[in-house]
Amino acid sequence: MTDVFKSADDLSEGYYKLIDARFSLGDPEAGRKAFEEGHIAGAVYWDLEKDMSDMDSDRGRHPMPSRAQLTELFRRSGLSLDDRILIYDGGGEPFAARAYFLLRYGGFRHTFILKEGFDGLRTAGYPVDAEPCRPQVSDVEPDWQAHLLASREDVKGVSEGREEGVLIDARAAERFLGKHEPLDPVAGHIPGARNFDWTRLKKEGYFDTGEAVEQLLRKTADKDEKVTVYCGSGVTAAPLFAMLDHIGQEDLRLYVGSYSDWVSDPDNPVEKESD
């Protein structure tokens, strides 16, 4: 098991660099406003759409940033590959997990998600202030972990049986089955995918790292399977990626473009419950 998720009351002594990833899909400015009103002292802010996505790309609703964009983000955040990095959002949300995936992709070796989020750290006595954090810019050279990132072509290979592996869709069952689709132009899922609603990873509002969640995940994917996770736009699949990483899934990828990228190509097939 890899130690990905940490609780505020079991943080080991020592220094962490902090990333505040609070965000609201319903109000894209809410996270930054919350950060400016008060954040854990020393934290830098990563915005889902301005920092952790390339919104000028046409590869889905929250496309993957380029390596150049990520390198710039890592450097202006003052990060080095050996830093211990603790990421928080509001707790039980997908945004810290998105940051976790990007850091893992960049080769950062000691990156963690705080289960209880901002309030957990504040309650544990970490100081809160509204001062902007301006870390010293680093010259970090990312150690790209390309095997963690799945392209549309990779996913097509798995879906068509030309490439070994399984696809896991992290959306709610109604969207997976094509019964309800509020965001994308075509309802359904990538052919052959399995479904595991990412919200099943939570208990009482926070991510649950107990044996029960591991058992649920193992009913969906065996430890030795090559797993590619996706969702609607690559955001809510990130907690599923992080939890599978936490329980030791050895061959694991994230399709950041996800379903929104898949259906942007009208030639790509989809499955629905009625199919």
Side-chain angles (χ1 to χ4, degrees):
M1 179 176 286
T2 305
D3 189 13
V4 173
F5 291 90
K6 286 188 174 290
S7 294
D9 57 3
D10 66 9
L11 292 176
S12 57
E13 291 185 6
Y15 180 73
Y16 290 87
K17 290 188 176 177
L18 299 172
I19 296 172
D20 184 320
R22 286 177 290 173
F23 192 81
S24 169
L25 291 169
D27 180 1
E29 296 301 317
R32 184 174 295 276
K33 288 178 181 176
F35 176 81
E36 292 172 351
E37 290 170 0
H39 54 268
I40 304 303
V44 297
Y45 183 67
W46 283 14
D47 185 286
L48 172 66
E49 296 187 346
K50 296 175 182 176
D51 300 312
M52 295 192 281
S53 305
D54 179 2
M55 301 303 285
D56 292 327
S57 170
D58 62 358
R59 300 306 296 259
R61 277 182 281 107
H62 290 100
M64 182 77 177
S66 68
R67 289 185 174 185
Q69 289 170 324
L70 288 172
T71 299
E72 194 274 335
L73 175 63
F74 300 153
R75 289 179 176 179
R76 64 179 164 82
S77 300
L79 302 180
S80 300
L81 291 179
D82 287 327
D83 284 339
R84 294 203 305 169
I85 303 168
L86 186 66
I87 316 160
Y88 68 84
D89 52 21
E93 297 175 343
F95 312 114
R98 171 72 162 215
Y100 172 81
F101 171 75
L102 296 178
L103 288 161
R104 285 275 282 113
Y105 174 68
F108 292 84
R109 305 178 182 100
H110 310 292
T111 303
F112 310 97
I113 298 169
L114 188 77
K115 289 197 291 186
E116 301 90 348
F118 171 73
D119 286 338
L121 284 175
R122 181 171 58 180
T123 302
Y126 282 68
V128 174
D129 67 34
E131 293 297 317
C133 181
R134 298 185 178 90
Q136 182 176 350
V137 176
S138 75
D139 59 358
V140 66
E141 292 290 344
D143 179 17
W144 303 111
Q145 304 296 301
H147 64 283
L148 299 179
L149 183 64
S151 67
R152 185 195 297 175
E153 291 70 29
D154 294 330
V155 170
K156 186 174 291 189
V158 175
S159 178
E160 295 176 352
R162 293 182 287 104
E163 182 178 333
E164 181 183 357
V166 297
L167 305 173
I168 302 180
D169 187 318
R171 296 175 300 163
E174 282 199 344
R175 291 184 70 192
F176 175 80
L177 295 171
K179 293 181 176 181
H180 176 63
E181 182 47 65
L183 298 171
D184 292 308
V186 182
H189 59 267
I190 299 173
R194 305 170 187 176
N195 184 219
F196 189 98
D197 183 339
W198 77 279
T199 63
R200 298 173 69 198
L201 301 172
K202 297 193 288 183
K203 181 179 180 181
E204 298 178 354
Y206 298 121
F207 290 114
D208 181 9
T209 54
E211 290 184 7
V213 166
E214 182 173 359
Q215 290 171 2
L216 284 174
L217 287 167
R218 288 288 166 244
K219 291 178 181 178
T220 306
D222 293 333
K223 186 173 183 177
D224 59 355
E225 288 187 297
K226 183 176 183 177
V227 172
T228 301
V229 297
Y230 77 91
C231 56
S233 70
V235 177
T236 59
L240 185 53
F241 176 93
M243 192 65 75
L244 285 165
D245 207 15
H246 183 83
I247 67 172
Q249 194 75 32
E250 294 179 359
D251 206 335
L252 180 61
R253 302 184 300 188
L254 176 60
Y255 176 26
V256 175
S258 282
Y259 189 72
S260 58
D261 175 60
W262 180 262
V263 298
S264 69
D265 183 345
D267 293 330
N268 283 339
V270 300
E271 286 182 343
K272 300 180 183 180
E273 184 185 45
S274 58
D275 288 348

